[in-house]
Amino acid sequence: MHAVLHALSIAGSMTWEITWALILGFALSAVVQAVVRKSTVVSLLGDDRPRTLAAAAGLGVASSSCSYAAVALARSLFRKGANFTAAAMAFEIASTNLVIELGVILALLMGWQFTAAEFVGGPIMIIVLAVLFRIFLRDKLLHTAREQAERGLAGSMEGHAAMDMSVAGEGSFARRLFSREGFTSTSHVFVMEWAAILRDLIVGLLIAGAIAAWVPDSFWRTFFFEGHPLASKLWGPIVGPLVAIASFVCSIGNVPLAVVLWKGGISFGGVVAFIFADLLILPILNIYRKYYGAKTAAFLLGTFYLAMVIAGYLVEFAFGGLGLIPDRADAKIPMEGVSWNYTTWLNIAFLLLAAVLLVRFWRTGGLSMLRMMGGSPDTGHDRTGYLQHGHPAGDTHDGHHH
């Protein structure tokens, strides 16, 4: 009983430590999604030239942060005609691994160097993947993947990925955002994002709490070859993604576990590879199989894994060479719980913001939308018309979903 309580208290402390950062990140993500249209996204992602990949990464950063929603959205872009490398891969990696909230939480729990490594390693991974795809992706495999994608088998978070939450109408970014529709749309995206990620986040915090409480440091030190500097640097990026694949936790949920691994002795590059591997966890590999077929899923596993390992090595040696790898002793697994400090003030402020958005969501028919989130990929919930007509989402006055 004591052991369980110890694990739960660590999970609780971690939750308290990152609450404001999560709310901030999801609010910013919601603002962007409220004013950027998905049709714009597809039109920009027609090929795999460097410029297109950069655009895909930029749009990904502005998009979602739950791995499941990102993977579902990437397939819907691919089906609408976006290029496989640009849409599915560059966009998907950026929207789970180059997002603001992940950077903020890495800085909070592990140090700004990890945030920098995330933003350096992500583009490296996209470039490596684009090269691997150019060399190894055969037309026949791509054709099979497209045929399978067209079958529209449901994965996870389909409805969420299919919804276009952006506000229609003219006017500047600011004007659309500060309109009543903009406020409503932002509140809807905000709550949807939370609903999409909550399960993974809770699981991630519980797993991290349990591992921090129950697995002795000596195990990790042996496992990661601590004390053998070169072996540790070479082993970290190879084993980091494998730990992630086995731990089942998506994007932000795996940061608390990354802290535990870092304290346990995994190399800097190993942490980076581990964080990027949220797109290879077992449930997501199964979704790739449904979306694109077993062969393509195996191809994605191999190429993504290789790209993560290479990105891990490059980040390890670049940051090591520049003397930017932080001291392991500085990373802290939050254990102290709630005390009057800046975290508490920030949490109070951001929880109030979350409450305002939640009330708006509740009062503008958000609940009926939430039910459609699991959805199927072909329902195409386009809400653009819905806000103008003032009907709650899912209202079917004319026989169609708005």
Side-chain angles (χ1 to χ4, degrees):
M1 191 63 197
H2 174 70
V4 171
L5 287 174
H6 182 41
L8 287 173
S9 78
I10 295 175
S13 294
M14 282 187 175
T15 309
W16 185 246
E17 195 73 20
I18 62 179
T19 297
W20 71 269
L22 280 171
I23 295 170
L24 168 66
F26 284 128
L28 291 172
S29 175
V31 162
V32 174
Q33 290 183 63
V35 286
V36 177
R37 298 205 188 88
K38 285 194 183 151
S39 51
T40 318
V41 176
V42 178
S43 66
L44 292 171
L45 305 185
D47 54 55
D48 65 351
R49 290 196 313 241
R51 219 177 113 187
T52 312
L53 292 177
L59 291 160
V61 169
S63 168
S64 168
S65 44
C66 166
S67 312
Y68 294 103
V71 169
L73 181 51
R75 180 190 49 180
S76 80
L77 295 174
F78 177 51
R79 287 179 70 188
K80 287 175 182 152
N83 173 279
F84 189 65
T85 311
M89 304 312 129
F91 178 85
E92 192 176 288
I93 291 164
S95 68
T96 54
N97 290 316
L98 293 176
V99 288
I100 303 154
E101 54 270 39
L102 185 60
V104 174
I105 289 169
L106 280 170
L108 266 185
L109 293 182
M110 302 178 76
W112 64 268
Q113 296 92 334
F114 284 94
T115 307
E118 174 211 348
F119 286 108
V120 170
I124 291 173
M125 190 177 150
I126 290 172
I127 292 164
V128 172
L129 257 187
V131 172
L132 290 173
F133 276 32
R134 278 272 172 105
I135 300 169
F136 297 112
L137 182 58
R138 299 278 167 266
D139 288 344
K140 188 176 164 205
L141 187 65
L142 194 57
H143 182 69
T144 317
R146 190 172 288 283
E147 277 188 346
Q148 180 68 19
E150 288 304 335
R151 292 179 57 194
L153 296 184
S156 180
M157 290 301 158
E158 296 288 356
H160 180 47
M163 291 174 191
D164 189 343
M165 313 285 273
S166 60
V167 182
E170 295 311 309
S172 67
F173 179 97
R175 209 166 128 201
R176 286 209 308 257
L177 179 61
F178 292 112
S179 64
R180 285 178 55 191
E181 289 91 350
F183 179 32
T184 301
S185 188
T186 302
S187 75
H188 283 229
V189 183
F190 177 79
V191 178
M192 297 294 184
E193 292 281 294
W194 271 103
I197 203 171
L198 202 56
R199 183 189 63 191
D200 279 287
L201 191 61
I202 292 168
V203 170
L205 287 157
L206 291 174
I207 289 175
I211 289 175
W214 302 339
V215 179
D217 284 348
S218 55
F219 167 79
W220 292 121
R221 280 201 285 275
T222 312
F223 185 65
F224 294 132
F225 296 124
E226 212 200 3
H228 304 277
L230 184 64
S232 164
K233 284 185 174 69
L234 294 176
W235 178 236
I238 290 173
V239 77
L242 301 178
V243 176
I245 289 169
S247 73
F248 276 68
V249 184
C250 101
S251 63
I252 292 168
N254 68 12
V255 177
L257 185 52
V259 184
V260 178
L261 298 178
W262 173 239
K263 293 291 276 183
I266 193 172
S267 68
F268 187 73
V271 172
V272 171
F274 167 80
I275 286 170
F276 289 160
D278 59 333
L279 288 170
L280 289 183
I281 57 172
L282 292 170
I284 285 190
L285 287 172
N286 186 41
I287 291 174
Y288 289 145
R289 183 186 61 77
K290 285 187 196 167
Y291 281 4
Y292 307 118
K295 275 188 177 162
T296 311
F299 176 79
L300 292 176
L301 170 62
T303 49
F304 269 57
Y305 178 72
L306 197 54
M308 281 158 200
V309 173
I310 293 170
Y313 282 143
L314 290 174
V315 164
E316 174 77 52
F317 293 112
F319 278 61
L322 294 167
L324 286 177
I325 295 182
D327 186 355
R328 227 176 267 284
D330 295 344
K332 56 181 196 309
I333 296 172
M335 302 255 189
E336 58 277 3
V338 181
S339 57
W340 279 111
N341 55 13
Y342 79 98
T343 305
T344 303
W345 288 111
L346 285 167
N347 279 345
I348 290 170
F350 280 97
L351 283 165
L352 286 171
L353 170 67
V356 169
L357 290 168
L358 199 59
V359 168
R360 181 70 176 183
F361 173 83
W362 193 271
R363 292 175 60 179
T364 50
L367 272 181
S368 53
M369 277 198 79
L370 205 49
R371 290 191 199 105
M372 302 195 295
M373 238 177 89
S376 88
D378 294 318
T379 39
H381 312 297
D382 181 8
R383 303 188 340 156
T384 321
Y386 130 80
L387 287 165
Q388 276 80 339
H389 301 306
H391 301 317
D395 234 16
T396 46
H397 292 291
D398 53 0
H400 299 293
H401 280 297
H402 288 288

